[in-house]
Amino acid sequence: MVLKWWLSASALLSSMTIVVVLGFLLQSSWPLIQQQGAAFIVGTEWYPFESLYGMLPALIGTLWSVTLALLIALPCGVAAAILCAELLPQRVRSTVRFAMELMAGVPSVVYGLLGIWLLLPLLESQLNLLTGRTLLAAGLLLALMILPTIMVLSEDAIRAVRQSQREAVKCLGIGWDATLWRVLLPQAWPGIRVAALLATGRAMGETVAVMLVVGSIDRIPEPFYNFLQPAQTLTSRIGREMAEASVASLHWAALLFCGLMLAMIAAAISLLTHRKAAAV
Amino acid sequence: MFRCWLSMLLFGVSLAGPLHAATATIKVAGSTTVLPIVAEAAKQYRVIQPGLSLTVSGGGSGVGVANIEHGIINIGMASRPLSDSEAQRLHTTTDVIPVARDAVAVAVSKAVYESGIQRLSLPQIAAIYRGEIRNWRELGGLDAPILVIDKEASRGTRHVFSSVVLGSARARAPGATIITGSNNEEQAVISRSDQAIGMLSNAWLNDRVRAVAVGDGENAILPTAENVASGRYAIKRDLNILVPKNSSDDVRGFVDFLRSDQGRMIVQAVGFHPVR
């Protein structure tokens, strides 16, 4: 009885928290919406001194850095997962997995510093860039950070494919390639999808590491797909400007609106994850 | 989202340092330009007053002013004068005390300096930051695009630089390539590049980060101590501390120490010019 009561109280409290958080974000950013309507969301100029709070540059920056990270980390992560789950002997497998779990535990600011001292000079010299602080740098760094999530969860999904199915395929004399493409990956796909969605959430919310390498300039790259230019993400903007905005000013409201947008995108992603997971 | 807050929180805590109270605690925060002076003074003052706990952290002038206004810290650091609205809110409660004079150097990478860019006029610098000049060749240097470094809008260095060079403390700089925060961050970018220009406090110049003379032809002035003291160098400012009028004796004691002869020596040792 007591246990049941405690369980439901905890569950209720946890779910209330998200309502409070979203409510706080909405309430705090309300003055901006009230004053400027919703047009600023697609505005291209962010300049707090002139009350210009265009969200588009940072939105595009966030979108690009996350897309790049997924494009890099998803194929690598899934490939590593296949290798670990199907081909490697047990001892090597656990070593790789341990390394991945360790990687997931490294604090993001460490990745940021690694980015500054290793990644940026490398990009500058190899691609002959004016500055290595680009969307590509952010994407590469984020890829490194979400790789463990994708790899570990995908491996679990592949290993969860029933042994009887593998045996059946073997009995039919089907080769390993076909087994992989026709049986293992389709069966594991829902799990891999969840891994990708979780990783997206993490990449989107990452602040410090991105802030250190993205260049932090509120400008849409020219042309917009040029990921070799410096840019801004929603999180790095909040990280850089939160301290300077005076509480309850319009600038403050705009920064919290950045937070609200991140929260809403994250909510959409987890709804998606939830539905896919339920469908499995 | 939550992760983002959490990392911000942790970041903030790590910046603020250990805030737990000893017997008496003086918290100082704000401009990273003023920080080396106060940090060194705090180190020496702890020897005189071992019972006192002094924590000095950065954040930028904007943070120093805002935190003093909110009563979070005991002494604020600002590398610019207060804006009109700030002065209006704070003038009855807070003293603005200059502790040093500093020049904002127009700093370029060593390679740029050695390719012949050793002086720039104010209109040339403005044209670079407005995006009208994009290649060092146009100024007589190597054929290389200019890496134009701007600073976060709340930074005192930017206020001073922008008001002298671009005509207003809040002017836009459409020519900027990237935005950096602290002096250290900007210094690192300039020293690792061969094409960079930026605005830096005098104390952060070194072999790889060189100051150009500012002005026309023979009248170009380098930000040396004499030129800053005489007022001939154009991009200059007072480095201030903000002290609430109702401060405790502990805080007053530290402020007096900063303005003493020993304090002046610290100012000079760190690379700034003391104020009489």
Side-chain angles (χ1 to χ4, degrees):
Chain A
M1 185 58 212
V2 176
L3 181 67
K4 254 189 187 168
W5 185 85
W6 181 72
L7 288 176
S8 22
S10 307
L12 197 69
L13 203 68
S14 338
S15 41
M16 285 295 284
T17 314
I18 189 62
V19 177
V20 172
V21 166
L22 284 177
F24 163 75
L25 284 175
L26 190 64
Q27 187 215 3
S28 311
S29 51
W30 189 247
L32 181 69
I33 303 167
Q34 210 170 25
Q35 192 169 331
Q36 305 199 346
F40 67 89
I41 297 175
V42 290
T44 55
E45 285 190 315
W46 172 274
Y47 209 76
F49 285 147
E50 297 172 20
S51 292
L52 290 171
Y53 298 105
M55 297 279 163
L56 208 53
L59 262 178
I60 290 180
T62 296
L63 199 76
W64 258 119
S65 54
V66 173
T67 310
L68 281 171
L70 282 175
L71 281 177
I72 301 162
L74 206 55
C76 292
V78 173
I82 295 168
L83 187 78
C84 270
E86 295 298 311
L87 299 175
L88 290 181
Q90 173 63 30
R91 193 185 302 160
V92 186
R93 192 185 82 83
S94 46
T95 313
V96 173
R97 184 150 177 139
F98 178 68
M100 281 289 155
E101 279 160 7
L102 214 60
M103 226 172 114
V106 175
S108 63
V109 67
V110 174
Y111 281 112
L113 294 173
L114 266 178
I116 288 183
W117 294 110
L118 297 176
L119 185 61
L120 295 183
L122 191 75
L123 285 178
E124 274 158 30
S125 60
Q126 293 302 310
L127 299 174
N128 195 20
L129 293 174
L130 188 53
T131 169
R133 285 160 204 259
T134 53
L135 283 170
L136 179 63
L140 283 168
L141 211 57
L142 285 175
L144 206 62
M145 300 177 75
I146 62 177
L147 191 64
T149 311
I150 294 180
M151 192 263 169
V152 168
L153 290 179
S154 303
E155 195 203 334
D156 289 344
I158 295 170
R159 287 172 64 82
V161 176
R162 267 191 227 113
Q163 202 57 35
S164 58
Q165 299 223 4
R166 288 171 224 247
E167 280 158 13
V169 171
K170 239 180 217 163
C171 291
L172 292 171
I174 295 174
W176 189 79
D177 279 27
T179 314
L180 178 68
W181 291 113
R182 296 291 177 80
V183 181
L184 291 179
L185 285 182
Q187 295 260 348
W189 179 239
I192 296 173
R193 197 163 41 195
V194 171
L197 288 170
L198 281 176
T200 311
R202 166 154 202 209
M204 219 173 52
E206 184 47 55
T207 305
V208 177
V210 172
M211 195 173 104
L212 290 173
V213 300
V214 82
S216 299
I217 191 143
D218 275 290
R219 194 183 293 150
I220 299 171
E222 287 168 16
F224 73 92
Y225 50 81
N226 186 350
F227 52 78
L228 294 179
Q229 281 188 355
Q232 177 83 297
T233 67
L234 289 167
T235 49
S236 87
R237 174 190 284 157
I238 298 174
R240 284 225 183 253
E241 297 184 9
M242 206 50 166
E244 77 186 59
S246 51
V247 179
S249 66
L250 218 52
H251 187 191
W252 173 267
L255 288 174
L256 282 163
F257 189 83
C258 292
L260 182 65
M261 284 211 297
L262 281 169
M264 288 193 307
I265 302 173
I269 289 174
S270 44
L271 271 180
L272 223 61
T273 321
H274 201 70
R275 206 182 281 166
K276 304 292 186 198
V280 175
Chain B
M1 194 53 228
F2 180 66
R3 169 182 301 280
C4 145
W5 287 336
L6 200 63
S7 46
M8 269 178 59
L9 196 71
L10 290 176
F11 197 50
V13 169
S14 62
L15 279 178
L19 290 180
H20 56 268
T23 42
T25 308
I26 301 179
K27 283 176 273 184
V28 192
S31 162
T32 57
T33 311
V34 191
L35 187 130
I37 303 173
V38 179
E40 180 59 32
K43 204 166 100 191
Q44 298 190 14
Y45 197 61
R46 281 191 201 106
V47 179
I48 309 171
Q49 298 276 355
L52 208 61
S53 160
L54 272 154
T55 60
V56 187
S57 54
S61 298
V63 173
V65 177
N67 284 0
I68 272 291
E69 205 179 335
H70 298 147
I72 301 168
I73 53 176
N74 305 102
I75 299 176
M77 302 181 283
S79 56
R80 57 171 171 83
L82 295 186
S83 71
D84 290 344
S85 63
E86 283 167 358
Q88 209 169 21
R89 292 199 301 270
L90 288 172
H91 78 278
T92 51
T93 56
T94 309
D95 289 323
V96 179
I97 303 171
V99 291
R101 184 158 292 159
D102 175 36
V104 175
V106 178
V108 296
S109 306
K110 187 182 181 184
V112 173
Y113 190 84
E114 288 179 344
S115 74
I117 310 279
Q118 302 188 350
R119 63 168 176 243
L120 292 170
S121 68
L122 284 175
Q124 281 175 328
I125 302 167
I128 293 174
Y129 274 88
R130 293 203 178 104
E132 291 150 9
I133 296 179
R134 290 182 177 277
N135 195 304
W136 286 115
R137 188 187 48 208
E138 296 170 55
L139 297 164
L142 296 170
D143 181 10
I146 306 176
L147 170 56
V148 186
I149 306 170
D150 196 3
K151 282 198 137 200
E152 290 170 2
S154 66
R155 300 283 175 172
T157 310
R158 189 188 197 276
H159 278 241
V160 176
F161 177 89
S162 173
S163 54
V164 176
V165 174
L166 299 172
S168 134
R170 299 177 158 192
R172 299 188 190 196
T177 320
I178 59 167
I179 290 179
T180 59
S182 66
N183 281 306
N184 285 334
E185 192 183 3
E186 177 156 359
Q187 183 200 42
V189 178
I190 297 176
S191 71
R192 295 173 74 101
S193 170
D194 288 334
Q195 290 144 264
I197 184 170
M199 52 192 94
L200 261 189
S201 160
N202 230 2
W204 270 264
L205 298 170
N206 59 31
D207 177 55
R208 295 197 47 78
V209 180
R210 308 279 187 92
V212 295
V214 175
D216 297 309
E218 295 307 306
N219 295 322
I221 307 283
L222 271 171
T224 57
E226 304 83 69
N227 289 337
V228 177
S230 69
R232 290 175 68 213
Y233 185 75
I235 317 172
K236 61 176 183 300
R237 52 161 168 198
D238 281 342
L239 304 183
N240 302 307
I241 53 173
L242 309 174
V243 186
K245 289 190 200 294
N246 59 359
S247 290
S248 67
D249 287 345
D250 288 328
V251 174
R252 292 261 163 235
F254 182 60
V255 172
D256 289 341
F257 176 75
L258 267 171
R259 304 181 72 193
S260 68
D261 284 344
Q262 198 176 345
R264 288 208 187 95
M265 276 164 64
I266 293 168
V267 167
Q268 229 153 10
V270 174
F272 299 109
H273 202 80
V275 183
R276 291 279 152 221

